[in-house]
């Protein structure tokens, strides 16, 4: 077996003061609203204000990539009214903040299975994605109808159709495809391959789980769990998480 050069980007020990890519599992909207005696949907509506605050703060910090988990592949299990409300809220947010994203030179991208989203959501996303494509102050990656496992499976299907040579025998085709398969070649087929691995993953709402978010990209993420519900999460809370990140020593499997 050939000896493989280690991937130096993964084996270095790095102490970066700032993460390049921060991801949020924006959880707790429903519980926050219920505690106030309001419907769960009120929490989702108020949560949009936190989205804007955190996008602005991330940009002010000079962090280049922000991923926001807005709707999971499992969230379709919720009541039809809540799902409809959330889909409408995506459209409302993108329309309302179109000028905000453009005037702040923020690029918007999407992760997840676009095809299964309602057409109006697809259209609005495509418009904002196209009209912000040249910006580079911050990339905001909206994870909508996103599941980490689903992303990996869809990536594998794309990888296979690009790497299975036409006309060769079944066995020869599989042999060629598996010899082309490695972490780098495979990750090029993820939803947004130009985004670096997740450095810091923050979950609000008190639960300590990943809930199918960025399974591939979070292999070496630092994890930070906040008790705050998403609608009450503030820039001061973000500062706490960034301070936590600053004090981590990342070894990536190496030694210090
Ligand atoms: C997060 O808040 C938003 C979405 C998952 C769409 P929740 O709706 O999960 O709120 P809780 O966790 O039930 O409080
Ligand atoms: C994770 O929150 C998904 C999003 C924040 C979009 P959930 O509320 O769906 O996760 P579980 O069900 O508590 O794991
Ligand atoms: Mg939740």
């Amino acid at each position: 077996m050939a000896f493989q050069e280690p991937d130096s980007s993964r084996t270095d020990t790095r102490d970066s003061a700032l993460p390049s890519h921060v991801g949020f599992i924006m959880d707790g909207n429903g519980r926050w609203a219920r505690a106030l005696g309001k419907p769960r949907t009120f929490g989702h509506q108020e949560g949009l204000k936190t989205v804007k605050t955190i996008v602005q703060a991330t940009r002010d910090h000079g962090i280049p990539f922000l991923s926001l988990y807005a709707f999971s592949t499992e969230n379709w299990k919720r009541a039809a009214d809540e799902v409809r409300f959330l889909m409408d809220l995506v459209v409302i947010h993108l329309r309302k903040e179109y000028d905000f994203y453009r005037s702040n030179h923020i690029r918007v991208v999407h992760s997840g299975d676009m095809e299964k989203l309602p057409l109006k959501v697809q259209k609005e996303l495509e418009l904002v994605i196209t009209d912000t494509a040249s910006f580079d102050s911050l990339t905001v990656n909206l994870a909508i109808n996103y599941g980490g496992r689903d992303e990996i499976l869809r990536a594998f299907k794309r990888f296979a159709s690009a790497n299975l040579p036409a006309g060769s025998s079944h066995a020869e085709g599989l042999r060629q495809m598996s010899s082309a398969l490695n972490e780098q070649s495979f990750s090029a087929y993820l939803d947004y391959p130009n985004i670096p691995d997740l450095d810091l993953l923050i979950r609000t709402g008190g639960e300590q789980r990943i809930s199918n978010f960025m399974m591939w990209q979070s292999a070496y993420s630092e994890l930070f769990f906040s008790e705050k519900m998403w609608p009450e999460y503030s820039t001061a809370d973000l500062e706490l998480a960034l301070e936590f990140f600053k004090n981590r020593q990342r070894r990536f499997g190496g030694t210090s």
Side-chain angles (χ1 to χ4, degrees):
M1 200 175 79
F3 178 75
Q4 250 194 332
E5 284 291 323
D7 174 358
S8 62
S9 66
R10 288 264 170 75
T11 52
D12 276 351
T13 63
R14 281 189 277 141
D15 291 300
S16 319
L18 264 187
S20 296
H21 183 188
V22 176
F24 273 96
I25 300 177
M26 309 184 288
D27 197 27
N29 292 349
R31 280 167 287 157
W32 177 82
R34 296 306 298 151
L36 295 173
K38 307 225 174 191
R40 293 176 52 81
T41 48
F42 178 69
H44 298 315
Q45 209 171 310
E46 289 300 296
L48 277 187
K49 294 179 188 161
T50 311
V51 169
K52 191 165 177 183
T53 305
I54 294 305
V55 167
Q56 256 163 337
T58 308
R59 183 183 175 279
D60 293 347
H61 271 289
I63 294 167
F65 294 95
L66 173 68
S67 288
L68 299 173
Y69 200 10
F71 192 90
S72 77
T73 46
E74 288 71 38
N75 287 149
W76 298 106
K77 291 176 196 159
R78 296 187 177 199
D81 278 357
E82 183 171 342
V83 169
R84 204 172 311 119
F85 189 91
L86 285 165
M87 291 300 149
D88 288 347
L89 219 49
V90 173
V91 174
I92 289 168
H93 172 76
L94 293 172
R95 283 191 189 150
K96 184 162 169 260
E97 304 305 347
Y98 178 90
D99 289 336
F100 163 75
Y101 285 122
R102 282 183 56 86
S103 61
N104 285 289
H105 286 202
I106 294 168
R107 170 172 47 187
V108 177
V109 300
H110 170 253
S111 288
D113 190 349
M114 185 75 107
E115 282 175 21
K116 296 191 181 108
L117 286 171
L119 265 183
K120 61 181 177 193
V121 177
Q122 293 189 28
K123 275 197 192 143
E124 218 56 45
L125 270 170
E126 271 155 13
L127 179 75
V128 179
I129 291 167
T130 307
D131 291 357
T132 61
S134 61
F135 296 142
D136 59 3
S137 81
L138 164 69
T139 296
V140 173
N141 175 32
L142 300 175
I144 307 172
N145 189 25
Y146 177 85
R149 289 181 173 181
D150 182 64
E151 181 186 27
I152 291 169
L153 293 182
R154 286 185 293 101
F156 185 72
K157 286 178 192 169
R158 290 193 288 255
F159 178 87
S161 65
N163 285 281
L164 257 183
S168 57
S169 72
H170 189 64
E172 177 55 17
L174 281 181
R175 197 197 61 74
Q176 284 192 34
M177 187 175 76
S178 69
S179 78
L181 182 62
N182 58 52
E183 289 187 15
Q184 206 184 357
S185 63
F186 178 73
S187 61
Y189 291 89
L190 293 170
D191 286 345
Y192 194 72
N194 297 331
I195 208 162
D197 278 355
L198 201 52
D199 294 308
L200 173 61
L201 171 53
I202 303 169
R203 181 175 186 138
T204 63
E207 307 288 4
Q208 303 199 355
R209 55 177 172 253
I210 305 288
S211 301
N212 205 8
F213 188 53
M214 301 207 130
M215 305 301 292
W216 180 276
Q217 300 86 339
S218 66
Y220 272 99
S221 300
E222 302 298 327
L223 306 179
F224 189 87
F225 298 100
S226 169
E227 290 298 320
K228 290 277 183 76
M229 301 293 139
W230 180 251
E232 62 186 358
Y233 192 81
S234 69
T235 50
D237 298 309
L238 175 64
E239 297 307 323
L240 283 178
L242 293 176
E243 193 55 34
F244 157 86
F245 182 82
K246 209 194 275 177
N247 292 314
R248 303 269 65 76
Q249 198 209 25
R250 307 183 75 195
R251 291 183 286 278
F252 298 94
T255 50
S256 48

